[in-house]
Amino acid sequence: MFDITDFINTNRDRYVTELKDYLAIPSISALPHHAGDVRRCAEWTADEMRRVGLDNVRLIDTPGNPIVYGEWLKAPGAPTMLFYGHYDVQPVDPLELWESPPFEATVRDGEIYARGSADDKGQVFMHFKAIEAHLKKAGSLPINIKVIIEGEEEVGSKNLDQFIVANKPMLAADVVVISDSAMFDRGVPSICYSLRGLAYFQIDLRGTSSDLHSGVFGGAVANPAMVLAQILAQMKDKGGRIKIPGFYDNVRPLSEEERAQWKTLPFNEKKYRKDLGAPKLAGEKEFTVLERVWARPTFEVNGILSGFTGEGAKTVIPAVAMAKVSMRLVPDQKPDRVAELFEAYVKNVAPKTVEVKVTRMHGGEPWITDYDNPYVQAAGRAIEQGFGRTPVFCREGGSIPVVSTFQRELGIPAVLFGVGLPDENAHAPNERLDLTNFHNGIVASAALYTELGGMKT
Ligand code: BES
Ligand code: MN
Ligand code: MN
């Protein structure tokens, strides 16, 4: 292991230079006109996997973006680790708020700024370099590895889900490892044992066949912007509780033990509020901030569109209004069930004066695991080798839909160790990754393979 860590330390700068090439490809899965870039990024990922020494590397076409697969299976008797990550990234708007161009990675104050740096190319690349270090230095890996990197995580992983269900023998492994989350805080590495799920919708309202003069017709027809606001206002009460009937039916209550454990985490509510620039925090009073974001479901309006929003004033009744809304789900809520409840509630509260259409966009199941297993303990030891500190256990509020699919379909535990930071602006302007965490993450990943290699299958 010393040799390998030495090798990683010696190559520190080269890793950053190479990562910049990866970050230069605008692999935005949400925008159809980037389809060519997404494919080019899949090819770059595959080429890199070949360069680091993986075998049988190939692109697997899907009805959407290609999946990249590779493996190294020459450690007979040793466990097999499935490594999962994603090469697609989120859109970059609003572009004018970026301090350097999103696809020209720039290092400032020990952090690399670019879309995809933390989420998730940087963290995927960290494992590529850990694999490379073993293969270059030792000529072999201490475990068998299957790598699967997808290009549709940011849009719901629908095709990967189907691929997993249809290819279980190909993906068979003892454990799945994922680095696509943040650590608890700077200097506080963590292992994540639960993610929230997601149910995402578009609501479309139509009042009339055309926009109307508000003086000529105002008073006689409904205003869809107003009606939309009234519908949305009925989703939550003042205390932050969601009013959709049945919504909380399957919410697993938090154990007192878990609540007590979270109270020991180094969390400063005042600093949290200040860092976010919020005048006051919101949410359910009976729950702490960590409980609200890790273990409680939410209803969010992602965006609203209707009517005249240009400069000046225009007197008009818009014909249509639209909103994108989503709910974060917690164990044991099911996205399909929640979708039925939501659609029924919208129908119920919407007045007859408008046409309402609800479209299901995407969803993902929440995930939780019992972290008392030897793989998680091995990961804990590896993180200590990379970061000089034992990790804390935490949940995350974000979603990685495919994690519960892996657990359900392959019947294997997942180890989520992410090295991002909560304030690294994933999905926002000026996304970045701390280069010390990136480097320590390579050391920790290389150590993880050694730790897993020492385990019985
Ligand atoms: N890497 C994130 C998920 C994440 C973020 C996990 C923070 C833990 C902490 C992932 O790329 C992501 O953004 N997922 C989407 C899911 C989706 C689009 C279906 C999300 O959470 O919004
Ligand atoms: Mn991600
Ligand atoms: Mn993301």
Side-chain angles (χ1 to χ4, degrees):
M1 199 54 222
F2 284 125
D3 266 10
I4 289 164
T5 306
D6 268 356
F7 178 85
I8 294 170
N9 289 338
T10 313
N11 283 277
R12 188 173 181 129
D13 296 340
R14 172 174 67 89
Y15 297 153
V16 178
T17 311
E18 292 176 1
L19 176 59
K20 284 183 178 173
D21 286 343
Y22 201 12
L23 296 173
I25 310 169
S27 50
I28 304 169
S29 52
L31 302 176
H33 68 272
H34 278 288
D37 296 317
V38 170
R39 185 156 193 106
R40 188 155 60 84
C41 193
E43 268 151 15
W44 196 100
T45 306
D47 287 341
E48 176 64 17
M49 283 163 58
R50 287 184 196 105
R51 278 194 291 272
V52 303
L54 290 165
D55 300 324
N56 293 322
V57 177
R58 59 186 187 270
L59 261 54
I60 299 166
D61 278 310
T62 74
N65 301 332
I67 296 164
V68 189
Y69 177 82
E71 63 190 22
W72 193 93
L73 303 175
K74 297 170 196 157
T80 301
M81 165 189 123
L82 179 63
F83 173 69
Y84 161 83
H86 62 94
Y87 66 81
D88 64 322
V89 301
Q90 286 276 335
V92 296
D93 56 285
L95 185 59
E96 64 280 8
L97 294 184
W98 285 78
E99 279 162 33
S100 51
F103 297 108
E104 286 171 34
T106 309
V107 176
R108 289 195 292 278
D109 298 332
E111 310 209 72
I112 187 160
Y113 285 75
R115 173 57 87 231
S117 52
D119 185 11
D120 178 34
K121 287 175 181 171
Q123 301 201 56
V124 164
F125 200 69
M126 167 181 110
H127 283 271
F128 290 167
K129 295 298 104 172
I131 291 170
E132 180 189 70
H134 275 282
L135 290 176
K136 285 260 150 68
K137 232 24 232 180
S140 63
L141 279 158
I143 42 163
N144 299 297
I145 292 188
K146 296 176 178 177
V147 176
I148 189 145
I149 313 293
E150 72 154 317
E152 296 184 313
E153 196 278 338
E154 299 291 8
V155 290
S157 300
K158 205 168 115 231
N159 291 303
L160 180 62
D161 247 42
Q162 283 160 11
F163 180 80
I164 294 167
V165 173
N167 292 278
K168 291 191 216 178
M170 171 185 173
L171 299 173
D174 297 289
V175 60
V176 54
V177 171
I178 300 165
S179 290
D180 186 24
S181 49
M183 35 198 242
F184 182 74
D185 199 355
R186 202 172 282 276
V188 189
S190 54
I191 291 178
C192 167
Y193 65 92
S194 180
L195 295 163
R196 289 195 288 192
L198 190 71
Y200 201 114
F201 306 87
Q202 178 169 327
I203 310 178
D204 284 281
L205 263 57
R206 176 172 284 282
T208 50
S209 48
S210 163
D211 284 1
L212 297 173
H213 189 294
S214 69
V216 179
F217 299 100
V221 291
N223 182 316
M226 186 66 173
V227 174
L228 179 59
Q230 286 163 338
I231 293 175
L232 294 176
Q234 290 181 72
M235 293 296 156
K236 268 181 167 184
D237 70 16
K238 285 220 174 70
R241 201 177 160 83
I242 294 154
K243 287 163 68 180
I244 302 167
F247 184 80
Y248 288 95
D249 283 357
N250 298 309
V251 171
R252 197 192 289 192
L254 261 168
S255 73
E256 283 311 315
E257 196 187 329
E258 212 173 4
R259 298 183 89 165
Q261 198 225 315
W262 293 358
K263 295 214 168 83
T264 68
L265 292 170
F267 180 77
N268 181 332
E269 187 169 324
K270 204 167 157 199
K271 180 172 184 302
Y272 181 86
R273 183 193 64 74
K274 267 200 165 156
D275 288 349
L276 293 177
K280 191 173 188 296
L281 293 178
E284 298 172 293
K285 289 223 164 39
E286 322 80 270
F287 295 95
T288 67
V289 170
L290 288 181
E291 288 166 358
R292 289 177 210 168
V293 296
W294 287 355
R296 294 294 295 168
T298 63
F299 181 97
E300 297 297 344
V301 179
N302 299 277
I304 304 184
L305 197 65
S306 183
F308 179 72
T309 55
E311 250 180 81
K314 176 188 178 191
T315 48
V316 65
I317 300 172
V320 294
M322 184 274 273
K324 308 258 187 187
V325 303
S326 60
M327 287 149 242
R328 293 284 165 177
L329 310 178
V330 300
D332 301 298
Q333 289 178 297
K334 295 265 175 279
D336 287 344
R337 173 77 187 134
V338 164
E340 284 165 17
L341 295 172
F342 172 66
E343 285 163 359
Y345 185 59
V346 171
K347 240 192 203 147
N348 197 17
V349 297
K352 298 221 160 29
T353 50
V354 293
E355 277 170 23
V356 182
K357 194 173 98 196
V358 176
T359 310
R360 296 187 194 188
M361 310 280 284
H362 56 59
E365 284 188 23
W367 167 77
I368 188 160
T369 183
D370 189 356
Y371 56 82
D372 185 22
N373 72 61
Y375 298 104
V376 168
Q377 279 157 26
R381 293 192 296 276
I383 288 170
E384 190 168 357
Q385 288 169 65
F387 291 83
R389 235 183 121 160
T390 50
V392 299
F393 289 99
C394 61
R395 296 202 196 186
E396 285 275 13
S399 311
I400 309 174
V402 80
V403 181
S404 66
T405 313
F406 281 131
Q407 185 160 300
R408 187 182 62 242
E409 299 297 329
L410 305 178
I412 55 176
V415 173
L416 261 74
F417 93 93
V419 306
L421 290 170
D423 64 355
E424 283 182 334
N425 285 17
H427 295 201
N430 303 310
E431 178 180 351
R432 55 194 173 265
L433 179 66
D434 182 288
L435 286 173
T436 303
N437 290 338
F438 170 65
H439 185 79
N440 293 347
I442 300 173
V443 176
S445 302
L448 176 64
Y449 311 158
T450 305
E451 290 289 340
L452 294 175
M455 289 173 58
K456 289 205 182 72
T457 51

